[in-house]
Amino acid sequence: MATASAAKTALTHVRVFDGRQLSAPCTVVIDGGVIGSDPRGAQEIDAAGAVVLPGLIDSHVHLHSSRTLEQLASYGVTTGLDMATWPAELVATLRKVTGHADFRTAGLPAIGPDGVHSRFPGMPPEAIIRTPQDARNHVAARVAEGVDYIKGIAEAPGHGGPGEENLRALVAAARAHGMKTVIHAAGVDAFTIAVDSGADFITHVPTDGVIAETDVAKMAAAGQIAIPTLTMMEGILAGKAPLTHLRESVAALHRARVNVLAGTDANTQPGTPFAVPHGESLHHELERLVQAGLSPTEALRAATILPARAFGLTDRGAVEPGLRADLLLIDGDPLADITATRNIRNIWCGGHAIAPARHSMTDGVPCRCR
């Protein structure tokens, strides 16, 4: 639950993650909804050497109610990048929610007529695109609703997806409107289609093999960004197949210097293959990214400054005066041990003090994502 914050709070003797390293002990000021610079008149909290991180950003979530925004915030995830929420009336209602996690959304996704997503309960027919003109109409409708980016679903040939031509039309139409595009790809062949669409972001890594070297090279050359969602993909494969190729795909992307963002696919959507808990799962995702070859510093950047820059969120992602007061105070050194992000002491979301999740992750409660 969010609580009203003091007009001004000064966190003293904190070490700040600046995107590269931890600072020497200093003072961070929360002045209303932003990070301030003048501690005079502030209520002081002596952090005794604890670490301040920028509020975490989950680059792939699904929102269902204000409860999901509350749950994100309670684990220090102060921004969720939603990859499909509808109808537009629900999105409008969620935009009015304050005191919990902030979000951006793709609204209704663009899907094929016979793919897996077409069978999700409540998926409206207007999501289906069969022609390039359908794709252009879909983008225009989402833009009119006020979405923040466009989401499309790639499927392997013959699996009922929108088709290569239609996805390219979707990306081109979004670009014409000044919008970025995220394409879902959960298989090796679908991943190739997603990369060739020219989308800005490819979300997921394949469950049926390692991303083709040619696709990795194309992504690196084009500046495309990956959101692997290892948490979801592990959940899909758990007990059915080895998980090593998931991390091998991330390692290949990382070696090629493709930017990798931390996203979980958190959802409670009926019909999905695995329910990923909001908030808690991002800490698990950071640990899996480190196991796949990112350093703890790189993993933290993947959940802070990198998604902020990639999605144009210029008011967050770092601990700097003038930015949103989205902050996470933790015990331990996350650059030495990424699991320290679970040791949450305090959370602020837009300057609002947030109570950490009831079952503190410092108590050794394991993430439900296995």
Side-chain angles (χ1 to χ4, degrees):
M1 176 179 294
T3 59
S5 60
K8 185 185 286 189
T9 302
L11 308 177
T12 62
H13 306 107
V14 293
R15 296 174 295 158
V16 175
F17 175 63
D18 65 4
R20 299 291 181 186
Q21 59 189 0
L22 298 183
S23 71
C26 62
T27 297
V28 171
V29 178
I30 301 169
D31 192 351
V34 299
I35 300 170
S37 57
D38 183 0
R40 289 178 295 183
Q43 175 187 355
E44 290 192 5
I45 297 177
D46 185 351
V51 170
V52 169
L53 302 176
L56 302 177
I57 300 173
D58 189 329
S59 290
H60 190 138
V61 303
H62 294 275
L63 303 176
H64 308 291
S65 67
S66 61
R67 170 59 184 152
T68 49
L69 294 173
E70 180 180 354
Q71 190 170 349
L72 286 170
S74 72
Y75 285 95
V77 181
T78 56
T79 302
L81 299 177
D82 171 70
M83 292 301 164
T85 290
W86 68 87
E89 292 76 14
L90 173 59
V91 173
T93 298
L94 292 176
R95 289 199 191 276
K96 296 176 184 177
V97 174
T98 59
H100 300 313
D102 192 22
F103 73 95
R104 299 293 185 270
T105 186
L108 187 68
I111 66 174
D114 299 308
V116 173
H117 291 76
S118 68
R119 296 189 287 275
F120 278 10
M123 181 66 74
E126 65 180 295
I128 295 173
I129 61 173
R130 293 182 171 87
T131 68
Q133 187 58 48
D134 286 346
R136 290 187 283 270
N137 292 343
H138 181 94
V139 171
R142 304 290 79 73
V143 170
E145 291 172 356
V147 302
D148 302 289
Y149 38 84
I150 301 297
K151 169 79 176 296
I153 307 294
E155 304 278 7
H159 284 72
E164 298 180 42
E165 182 183 10
N166 296 335
L167 283 179
R168 287 194 294 269
L170 186 82
V171 171
R175 194 158 291 144
H177 283 277
M179 307 285 283
K180 294 189 176 183
T181 314
V182 182
I183 301 295
H184 157 117
V188 171
D189 292 339
F191 207 93
T192 298
I193 292 172
V195 171
D196 289 343
S197 75
D200 301 281
F201 304 89
I202 314 298
T203 191
H204 305 308
V205 287
T207 56
D208 58 354
V210 179
I211 300 169
E213 292 182 8
T214 52
D215 289 335
V216 173
K218 287 178 182 178
M219 289 186 72
Q224 291 172 307
I225 296 172
I227 310 172
T229 69
L230 288 169
T231 302
M232 169 56 90
M233 311 323 274
E234 282 185 347
I236 292 172
L237 290 179
K240 301 175 184 177
L243 306 178
T244 54
H245 63 276
L246 301 176
R247 297 176 199 174
E248 288 173 10
S249 285
V250 174
L253 292 165
H254 185 238
R255 286 194 301 269
R257 300 185 182 276
V258 172
N259 273 347
V260 172
L261 306 185
T264 64
D265 205 357
N267 76 91
T268 59
Q269 175 72 37
T272 56
F274 184 64
V276 176
H278 291 77
E280 178 187 14
S281 56
L282 187 61
H283 300 270
H284 178 83
E285 187 75 17
L286 294 177
E287 293 159 17
R288 289 298 186 252
L289 290 176
V290 169
Q291 291 173 0
L294 277 68
S295 69
T297 298
E298 290 167 333
L300 284 177
R301 286 174 60 81
T304 54
I305 190 63
L306 292 185
R309 288 175 178 171
F311 282 88
L313 306 177
T314 58
D315 62 344
R316 68 198 71 189
V319 183
E320 298 175 0
L323 298 187
R324 276 176 58 97
D326 290 347
L327 301 169
L328 184 60
L329 184 68
I330 65 171
D331 290 315
D333 181 353
L335 305 190
D337 179 2
I338 193 63
T339 65
T341 65
R342 295 177 178 270
N343 303 332
I344 300 173
R345 208 195 277 190
N346 297 89
I347 302 162
W348 291 268
C349 186
H352 293 273
I354 304 291
R358 181 180 301 175
H359 298 294
S360 171
M361 291 183 291
T362 63
D363 295 335
V365 178
C367 177
R368 294 190 299 275
C369 317
R370 288 291 182 259

